[in-house]
Amino acid sequence: MHTKVKAMKMLVGGKWVEGKDTFEVVNPQNNEAIARVPLASKEQMEEAIETAERTYRTTTVWPTHERIAILTKVSNYMKEHVEEFAEIIASEGSKTINEARGEVKRAAQTIQISAEEARRINGETLNFDQNEGSENRVGYYYRFPVGVVGAITPFNDPLNMVAHKIGPAIAAGNAIVLKPASVTPLSALKLAEAFMNAGLPEGFLSVVTGSGREIGDTLVTHPAVQMVSFTGGTEAGEKITQKAGTKKLSMELGSNSPVIVLEDADLHDAVQSTVSGAFSAVGQNCIGVQRIYVEKEIYQTFLNTFVNRTAELNVGDKMDELTDMGPLINEKEAKRVEKWVNEAVAKGATVEFGGKREGAYYTPTILTNVSDEATIAKEEIFGPVVLVYPVDSLYEAVEQANNVDYGLQAGIFTSNINQAFYAVKHMKVGGIMINDSSDYRIDAMPFGGTKGSGIGREGIQFAIEAMTEAKVVSFRLQEKLL
């Protein structure tokens, strides 16, 4: 049975428009086209940016209560249409229907938190009289929006990552132009529809679909764009930082997340959490578990249990309620994962489980004896592969965990608080989860990393801070009136 291919429009400056050309969005499970989406031109991207800039500049008052009302309506709409959003996410991306429903709930919460944080964009009074000669000055600082935010989002969380850009931008009073990943633009367009239905003033939001090569540079370099918020790969992020010049930047880039399992850990809990952390969303998760360091005393027991639990995972149809793992986003990515695994094996690695590809599907895979020289040991896999290593001590585990150019999140399983705090202090990451896998996240927390994992922090409160500027106001009072 062939699905009807839906013709979509994109949102440019508050208007739903077509493009001169279109491109197909396909379901990676069967390569069937599910929609035709506008392939935006450079001129259409410029129009979106210039409309955003003009709208922002000419809107003299956009009160906080109106922004709160719009965001609340959008969040409520998402909660009422969970299944509709979930089917879009699961159709265009890699997530199972159950994972997609979870993402919709999180994205609705992200928008709701944005509404709540809008009322907390506060400043402070300043004590100018701490400076000699400034006894007759009083003042404060407050935060104001940057103006136009340019945002670029990845395919792996096609709704919640978009919500993490649009929610804080609107909460802060900015206009935003968003380019979603070309393989998964439908979730972003559906969210844009929710914003327009909620009464968002025209021009404050554009969702422009198309090729990053064609329109990405325009978004990053256009002088009206005051800030670029990017979530994606490290290589693309580095190119953006070079092109953006002095614009404000928020970069959530790649990772190679480690988890440490010590001999005093709850073994069953550690296995359950790390299997989920490694293979949820087909491992296409920037904080997914990629490396596991296990103390030698429990290494073999952990590995055997981990293999047995992984073998229970059900790989298959994304729309089936019983499926644990669907396909990767496309066959090209599955072939890349296959190539990296084969390279590791050629350099001495052992495949404990998996290691097989069929089209865009790649089996959940466990590797041991992986050489430090293997690409898979150093880079972000972004696929369902996990590397397991024995270590002599916590000290060695931390040293090994830190020995990559990433530092987004990590996890440690232990019942010893001192060992937990050693890891907290010495692991070079933006977040560390105690007795949880590295992929634990709530949307309100500051989220970002060190080293090659990015610049700044996401999470609504922290994104709002990045999307606003502090303005200092000082009054010099006249002596004769004092």
Side-chain angles (χ1 to χ4, degrees):
M1 187 184 86
H2 283 277
T3 320
K4 190 173 180 224
V5 180
K6 194 174 178 188
M8 304 293 293
K9 292 181 178 180
M10 61 183 171
L11 187 65
V12 174
K15 310 279 187 213
W16 292 101
V17 301
E18 297 173 345
K20 283 183 183 168
D21 295 307
T22 60
F23 64 96
E24 281 187 346
V25 178
V26 302
N27 184 335
Q29 185 161 293
N30 51 25
N31 279 330
E32 266 191 21
I34 51 176
R36 295 201 70 83
V37 175
L39 186 68
S41 64
K42 186 182 171 202
E43 290 71 27
Q44 285 176 310
M45 176 57 90
E46 285 172 346
E47 184 188 338
I49 295 165
E50 283 155 18
T51 304
E53 203 265 339
R54 190 167 56 250
T55 305
Y56 173 76
R57 199 179 61 243
T58 57
T59 302
T60 49
V61 180
W62 191 20
T64 305
H65 68 82
E66 284 184 12
R67 287 178 261 143
I68 291 170
I70 289 163
L71 289 161
T72 303
K73 278 182 194 167
V74 172
S75 179
N76 290 339
Y77 180 87
M78 294 167 84
K79 289 170 192 166
E80 288 158 15
H81 295 83
V82 170
E83 207 59 23
E84 205 177 325
F85 275 99
E87 282 175 11
I88 291 170
I89 293 168
S91 298
E92 67 176 345
S94 294
K95 288 189 170 176
T96 66
I97 190 67
N98 289 328
E99 289 172 332
R101 286 176 190 135
E103 183 178 342
V104 181
K105 286 174 186 170
R106 276 187 60 185
Q109 188 180 53
T110 298
I111 298 295
Q112 186 59 52
I113 298 167
S114 299
E116 292 160 11
E117 288 295 339
R119 58 177 101 245
R120 289 191 278 271
I121 305 173
N122 298 324
E124 286 183 17
T125 54
L126 299 169
N127 297 322
F128 285 95
D129 62 356
Q130 65 187 281
N131 191 57
E132 199 177 319
S134 290
E135 291 83 358
N136 63 334
R137 284 176 175 82
V138 294
Y140 57 93
Y141 76 84
Y142 72 97
R143 304 201 70 86
F144 66 95
V146 295
V148 180
V149 175
I152 300 171
T153 52
F155 70 81
N156 57 318
D157 285 304
L159 183 66
N160 197 29
M161 281 293 130
V162 170
H164 267 282
K165 310 293 185 193
I166 300 177
I170 298 301
N174 293 295
I176 178 167
V177 178
L178 179 121
K179 195 205 94 62
S182 296
V183 283
T184 56
L186 306 180
S187 302
L189 292 170
K190 182 70 181 164
L191 184 58
E193 194 181 295
F195 268 96
M196 297 313 289
N197 291 344
L200 182 71
E202 282 189 9
F204 274 101
L205 172 63
S206 289
V207 175
V208 186
T209 54
S211 155
R213 280 190 296 276
E214 285 294 311
I215 58 176
D217 276 7
T218 306
L219 184 58
V220 168
T221 59
H222 197 291
V225 174
Q226 298 301 307
M227 177 186 178
V228 177
S229 179
F230 173 79
T231 302
T234 302
E235 195 180 315
E238 284 176 0
K239 284 180 183 165
I240 288 170
T241 58
Q242 287 158 10
K243 289 171 183 169
T246 56
K247 295 180 195 294
K248 292 191 86 175
L249 290 175
S250 171
M251 295 271 153
E252 199 271 280
L253 306 177
S255 187
N256 178 325
S257 297
V259 171
I260 296 168
V261 182
L262 299 180
E263 63 170 325
D264 62 0
D266 178 329
L267 193 76
H268 174 76
D269 182 43
V271 168
Q272 284 287 100
S273 293
T274 49
V275 167
S276 169
F279 303 123
S280 291
V282 208
Q284 294 173 137
N285 177 3
C286 55
I287 46 176
V289 179
Q290 184 165 330
R291 297 171 293 146
I292 306 175
Y293 296 98
V294 187
E295 270 197 300
K296 278 182 176 163
E297 290 78 2
I298 58 162
Y299 173 76
Q300 202 55 54
T301 310
F302 176 89
L303 183 61
N304 294 344
T305 315
F306 193 89
V307 168
N308 292 339
R309 178 68 193 96
T310 302
E312 293 170 4
L313 294 176
N314 184 11
V315 181
D317 179 3
K318 293 179 293 180
M319 293 300 181
D320 190 324
E321 303 268 351
L322 299 175
T323 297
D324 297 302
M325 218 178 89
L328 278 92
I329 192 64
N330 53 40
E331 191 172 356
K332 181 184 166 195
E333 282 299 293
K335 283 180 175 174
R336 177 189 58 76
V337 171
E338 180 181 47
K339 183 183 171 189
W340 285 14
V341 170
N342 291 345
E343 182 216 26
V345 170
K347 290 183 175 173
T350 306
V351 179
E352 302 287 349
F353 185 83
K356 294 182 176 64
R357 182 182 69 81
E358 191 175 325
Y361 281 89
Y362 197 84
T363 50
T365 299
I366 304 160
L367 300 181
T368 56
N369 306 312
V370 179
S371 162
D372 289 346
E373 298 307 306
T375 305
I376 213 162
K378 297 178 287 191
E379 298 300 330
E380 181 175 34
I381 298 167
F382 227 62
V385 184
V386 66
L387 323 181
V388 188
Y389 302 88
V391 288
D392 287 323
S393 64
L394 170 60
Y395 175 82
E396 185 193 345
V398 170
E399 287 291 297
Q400 293 291 325
N402 285 338
N403 195 26
V404 293
D405 189 32
Y406 296 107
L408 190 50
Q409 288 197 176
I412 179 170
F413 288 85
T414 178
S415 56
N416 183 322
I417 193 166
N418 294 312
Q419 302 206 105
F421 268 99
Y422 179 88
V424 167
K425 184 174 180 182
H426 295 283
M427 292 187 85
K428 297 186 175 85
V429 290
I432 179 160
M433 309 300 132
I434 316 300
N435 293 322
D436 250 322
S437 94
S438 58
D439 75 322
Y440 178 75
R441 178 185 180 187
I442 64 166
D443 295 291
M445 74 191 205
F447 180 72
T450 62
K451 299 185 278 188
S453 287
I455 304 165
R457 294 291 180 269
E458 293 232 303
I460 298 88
Q461 176 193 338
F462 308 91
I464 287 173
E465 194 169 311
M467 292 175 177
T468 54
E469 301 274 19
K471 183 180 285 187
V472 174
V473 179
S474 166
F475 291 88
R476 184 164 69 91
L477 304 174
Q478 299 300 317
E479 290 284 355
K480 61 187 176 192
L481 297 176
L482 290 178

